[in-house]
Structure formats: C-alpha cells, structure tokens
Amino acid sequence: ALGSGEGPARVSSARAELRAAIDAAFGTSEVDRALRRALERTYLEPDGGHAVARKELFMSRSSFYRHLQKARDRLVERAG
C-alpha cells in the first residue's frame, strides 16, 4: 500500500512515493514528458483531473486515454 500514517499524512506520503516512482519511470524525451504530465495532472495535482490534463496536453479524448494508459502501464512495470 502507498503511504504511511493516517489521514492527510498518509495522503502526503503516498503522493511523495508516487512522485518518486514517476521520476524513476520517465525521462526527458518529449514523449516521456507528455506521459509524465498526464499522470501528474490527472492524479497528483488538486486542480487536475482527466479533462484538465487532456486540455493542457492538447489531446483528443482517445489520444489522451491512450497516453494515460501507456503511462500507467510503464509506472506499474517499473514498480513491479
């Protein structure tokens, strides 16, 4: 399980662990930056979400969800 502690402390801890995993999984290429940004805006930033991330990345709905799935797959692969 992600995070340690309870309540807000656990949320903060889980976010830190997820950010570290994202840092390890993605490089600096244009594709990697887009994949990273999709994850960060969707899951880590309070004003994010699918719609916000998709608009900021200038992607169609289908393209955004393909990128997000690829990013999640890579994150799981690297973490496993």
Side-chain angles (χ1 to χ4, degrees):
L2 279 177
S4 60
E6 293 184 25
R10 184 173 183 154
V11 171
S12 181
S13 175
R15 279 194 179 122
E17 289 177 35
L18 189 51
R19 283 198 187 277
I22 289 170
D23 287 344
F26 299 97
T28 59
S29 72
E30 186 175 334
V31 170
D32 275 13
R33 287 193 319 263
L35 295 173
R36 169 194 290 267
R37 197 71 186 132
L39 286 172
E40 290 172 342
R41 287 301 281 153
T42 300
Y43 299 119
L44 293 177
E45 297 177 6
D47 64 338
H50 293 99
V52 171
R54 186 173 60 85
K55 287 178 185 175
E56 286 182 4
L57 293 169
F58 303 103
M59 292 182 183
S60 68
R61 181 180 170 89
S62 60
S63 181
F64 171 74
Y65 283 106
R66 277 194 305 273
H67 273 73
L68 189 58
Q69 184 62 51
K70 185 175 181 178
R72 286 189 305 241
D73 289 347
R74 185 183 302 177
L75 194 59
V76 168
E77 178 183 297
R78 300 283 168 92

